Amino acid sequence: MTASFVALEDVCKIYNQGQPNQVRALHNINLVIAANSMVCLQGASGSGKSTLLSIIGCVFPPTSGRATIAGKALSRMPDRFLTIHRRNTIGFIFQHFNILPDLTVLENITLPLMPLGIGPGARKERAERLMEMLSIGHRSNFPARQISGGELQRVAIARALINDPPIVLADEPTAHLDHTLSLAFMEIMRELQRAGKTIILTSHDPLITQHPAVERIIAIEDGEIHVP
Amino acid sequence: MMSFARQANIIDYSLSSLWRRRFKSLGVMVVFAGVIFLLASFQMTTKALTNAASDILAFAPEITIQKMKAGRQESIPLEYKEKLAVILGIRAITPRIWGYYFNETSGANYTVLGLDPFSMPLGDQLGEAIDTGALPLDHEAVLGQGVFAELAGGGDAVIFSLFRPDLSLKTFSRAGVFKAETNILTYDTLFMNLDDARDLFSLPADMATDLCVTVANPNEVQTIAKKIAALLPDTRVVTRQQIQKTYQGVFGWRSGFASICLLTALAAFIIFAWDKASGLTPEERKEISILKIIGWQTSDVLTLRFWEGVTVSTVSFVVGYTLAYVHVSFFEASLFRPVLLGWSVLHPALRLVPSVELGETLLILCLTVVPYLAATIIPAWRAAIIPADSALN
Ligand SMILES: Nc1ncnc2c1ncn2[C@@H]1O[C@H](COP(=O)(O)OP(=O)(O)OP(=O)(O)O)[C@@H](O)[C@H]1O
Ligand SMILES: [Mg+2]
């Protein structure tokens, strides 16, 4: 289990295949990420970091190749099961947070629990523990549009963690944060890793790539893994 | 996965998202309720009128014989009865006297109907239309609700008088009052026996207004009517079927015209609903893609839209239908009076009894709620199958 928590073999991703606007975003990716590690995907803009993270995050399967995430092969998995696997294993922190501005902080955080049939009391209880941990408890009933960028990211983190997933993904997590908030974010990631989670980040921010907690840098260039 | 708790959560979320978009939701509900209101008012009004018309028909004799002179109706001699004795299949011939009595004090026109209920077929059925009291004996009359209200002031006066043509007074005692359900027929009616009616109008003893023919076999009505017309060339012979056609003429084209207007309104509504419900704003599309990427299934998103649609249409339906009921029963369908003029001229003081029928209600439900739900769900389905990764950029 620990050896290959995420295993990609000859993974390719082609957007809009067969159409004039076809894009070859990933090409022959071979990658193994161990459980409970913290890695960072690094690369220029357009190199394919987000695409790779999406495949690891079970958002879509690869166009070809084999992707095994937390013991399940994604290839040709129907959308329905991909969704179930995603919500059981992945906590995704998006670059633009993807928080619904008209919902309260609490409602945003508990949104993934709604289709699971978890009642309001249990939802609140789970969210409160996370909000406490992330020091946003006092914002619980604020509409998300009224809180600051740093708080917004913590809401996004809390939402990613609400199902207690073994893998946490963050796409360009420090792009909208100042230095202090970026360091605080990395501390939170370090805590999560200590708690046993696998952390996968994308970034070209040296604050992340050179952070002591990051065990491994995976360089991506034009959709391929760059071996220096 | 269709667990109750999941449904409850999604309903919870759909209510709160309707509330977040409350102005849009309210706008749709106002239009929606308006359409239901129009359809239901119209349906209840025409249904009440149709019921009334079929009541009239139920009481209409199978064949009525009127004597004509110079193209106008005049009294018919009772001896004509004997001339018809040769026609087989006639069960009974009942003379009838009817006319209008103008009450100068109130300015109202009453319909006076003279019949001999004890000697006519089905005469006892008339008794069922009487609320309190019994069929009229000599010097008695049964009053319609409107006449009763005017002559007795709704109180318990028993004796009243009417003028003969020579202005001498004829006194009646009240034998009973017609039931309110028969208002369309009896509201302005004074029902008495043949001799009293003849006396009131000073008609000669051997005359009646018309003769009503009861036929043994309903299939023979046309044949017998033709035979009567041949035997009595100076009469007009009217069958119930012809009366029915006249009524259909009065109500039919008007309600047909109104239905076309309503169908146009309905079509406009469906287009409007489609536009409102399907025109997903960029925010709504964004919301759906976020829900999907954080783990909502396509079916969860559809369930969400379904409950939104159900809520909007249920509220609109209940509001629109209730308003329609109030409109028809308390405001006497005032919006439709100009359209259904034929009836309101016939019976200006008529109080409509709105009739709510399951079948018709379901029809309205299908015509409005189903297109609305389709307009909510189908576009959401298109939105819900957009790949989750569109929330990434
Ligand atoms: N949904 C899509 N449809 C078509 N092409 C896409 C789509 N998403 C990404 N691409 C293309 O695939 C390539 C890789 O994109 P990707 O977003 O993975 O790069 P990235 O390394 O994350 O870049 P950035 O640092 O700018 O976020 C780019 O050329 C991009 O234009
Ligand atoms: Mg990216």
Side-chain angles (χ1 to χ4, degrees), chain A residues 15-16 23 25 44-51 95 172 204, chain B residues 389 393:
Chain A
Y15 286 109
N16 310 320
V23 179
S45 182
S47 57
K49 304 183 295 290
S50 295
T51 307
Q95 184 174 353
E172 312 264 0
H204 39 238
Chain B
D389 64 300
N393 304 310

Side-chain angles (χ1 to χ4, degrees), chain B residues 43-332:
Chain B
Q43 175 240 311
M44 289 180 200
T45 313
T46 48
K47 197 70 202 168
L49 287 175
T50 320
N51 286 348
S54 70
D55 284 353
I56 294 174
L57 285 172
F59 275 89
E62 284 162 319
I63 299 174
T64 312
I65 309 172
Q66 301 168 337
K67 181 159 192 294
M68 305 300 288
K69 187 164 198 174
R72 292 166 56 93
Q73 190 191 347
E74 61 165 28
S75 298
I76 189 165
L78 292 181
E79 69 190 42
Y80 275 35
K81 276 172 74 172
E82 274 84 71
K83 297 193 189 176
L84 299 179
V86 294
I87 303 179
L88 296 173
I90 291 182
R91 202 168 113 206
I93 301 176
T94 316
R96 192 165 71 162
I97 291 179
W98 61 271
Y100 298 111
Y101 179 89
F102 182 64
N103 182 341
E104 294 200 34
T105 354
S106 69
N109 244 326
Y110 303 147
T111 304
V112 174
L113 180 65
L115 273 176
D116 203 350
F118 301 105
S119 70
M120 63 183 267
L122 305 178
D124 48 335
Q125 282 190 5
L126 277 170
E128 287 168 20
I130 299 172
D131 195 11
T132 51
L135 290 169
L137 302 170
D138 288 347
H139 312 300
E140 288 185 346
V142 176
L143 312 185
Q145 298 269 337
V147 182
F148 177 54
E150 275 191 13
L151 288 185
D156 44 11
V158 175
I159 306 288
F160 55 94
S161 303
L162 301 176
F163 290 102
R164 296 192 184 88
D166 63 2
L167 299 185
S168 62
L169 277 174
K170 178 170 174 62
T171 305
F172 290 91
S173 56
R174 166 160 58 86
V177 178
F178 282 111
K179 288 181 181 164
E181 296 94 290
T182 64
N183 267 353
I184 188 142
L185 287 170
T186 62
Y187 188 77
D188 61 354
T189 298
L190 278 154
F191 170 44
M192 57 192 69
N193 71 36
L194 208 55
D195 292 334
D196 283 322
R198 190 175 282 130
D199 179 24
L200 179 67
F201 289 137
S202 297
L203 283 177
D206 54 350
M207 291 288 196
T209 310
D210 49 27
L211 297 175
C212 305
V213 178
T214 318
V215 169
N217 175 359
N219 295 328
E220 287 179 9
V221 169
Q222 292 304 333
T223 334
I224 292 176
K226 268 189 206 132
K227 286 185 188 166
I228 296 174
L231 272 177
L232 305 173
D234 57 346
T235 61
R236 179 166 66 186
V237 182
V238 186
T239 63
R240 188 191 293 176
Q241 211 181 359
Q242 284 166 317
I243 299 177
Q244 190 171 19
K245 278 199 184 120
T246 314
Y247 273 110
Q248 276 167 355
V250 174
F251 296 144
W253 81 264
R254 286 175 200 281
S255 65
F257 174 73
S259 326
I260 288 171
C261 297
L262 285 175
L263 283 179
T264 316
L266 186 66
F269 164 72
I270 291 171
I271 293 167
F272 164 87
W274 186 270
D275 187 54
K276 279 293 160 204
S278 65
L280 289 177
T281 60
E283 290 78 42
E284 287 167 334
R285 290 184 71 86
K286 179 85 180 167
E287 177 178 346
I288 291 176
S289 60
I290 291 176
L291 291 178
K292 285 208 73 180
I293 204 164
I294 64 170
W296 286 48
Q297 298 282 10
T298 303
S299 62
D300 297 326
V301 175
L302 291 183
T303 312
L304 166 65
R305 296 291 288 187
F306 172 77
W307 286 118
E308 283 181 11
V310 166
T311 309
V312 166
S313 41
T314 308
V315 171
S316 311
F317 192 84
V318 170
V319 169
Y321 216 84
T322 310
L323 287 178
Y325 193 89
V326 170
H327 170 225
V328 174
S329 56
F330 297 105
F331 295 95
E332 280 145 26

Side-chain angles (χ1 to χ4, degrees), chain A residues 13-34:
Chain A
K13 172 67 188 179
I14 301 171
Y15 286 109
N16 310 320
Q17 192 170 25
Q19 287 162 33
N21 56 347
Q22 167 171 323
V23 179
R24 241 184 56 179
L26 293 177
H27 185 64
N28 282 349
I29 299 283
N30 286 285
L31 177 65
V32 170
I33 296 173

Side-chain angles (χ1 to χ4, degrees), chain A residues 46-192:
Chain A
S47 57
K49 304 183 295 290
S50 295
T51 307
L52 184 54
L53 205 62
S54 301
I55 290 175
I56 297 172
C58 307
V59 176
F60 46 71
T63 311
S64 66
R66 288 166 54 87
T68 311
I69 314 296
K72 286 219 168 89
L74 302 194
S75 318
R76 286 191 295 280
M77 192 188 268
D79 190 56
R80 210 185 135 66
F81 295 104
L82 204 60
T83 302
I84 294 174
H85 192 50
R86 179 165 71 245
R87 68 184 176 206
N88 290 337
T89 36
I90 308 292
F92 214 129
I93 303 160
F94 305 99
Q95 184 174 353
H96 299 284
F97 310 141
N98 278 338
I99 294 297
L100 293 169
D102 294 330
L103 297 186
T104 65
V105 165
L106 178 68
E107 287 166 339
N108 265 293
I109 294 173
T110 56
L111 214 44
L113 302 180
M114 302 287 276
L116 302 181
I118 296 171
R123 291 203 300 267
K124 192 165 179 216
E125 204 182 298
R126 278 212 219 174
E128 267 166 357
R129 230 179 303 132
L130 286 168
M131 287 190 291
E132 216 45 60
M133 183 189 108
L134 295 162
S135 347
I136 44 171
H138 58 301
R139 292 284 184 250
S140 170
N141 293 314
F142 278 56
R145 65 164 80 258
Q146 287 178 12
I147 63 176
S148 73
E151 287 169 332
L152 216 49
Q153 192 186 46
R154 284 152 191 258
V155 176
I157 297 171
R159 188 181 62 187
L161 297 177
I162 194 80
N163 266 331
D164 197 21
I167 303 176
V168 175
L169 309 178
D171 196 6
E172 312 264 0
T174 57
H176 302 284
L177 302 183
D178 63 21
H179 188 76
T180 324
L181 285 173
S182 300
L183 282 176
F185 174 82
M186 287 310 287
E187 275 319 302
I188 295 168
M189 291 302 116
R190 203 208 283 257
E191 282 303 314
L192 291 175

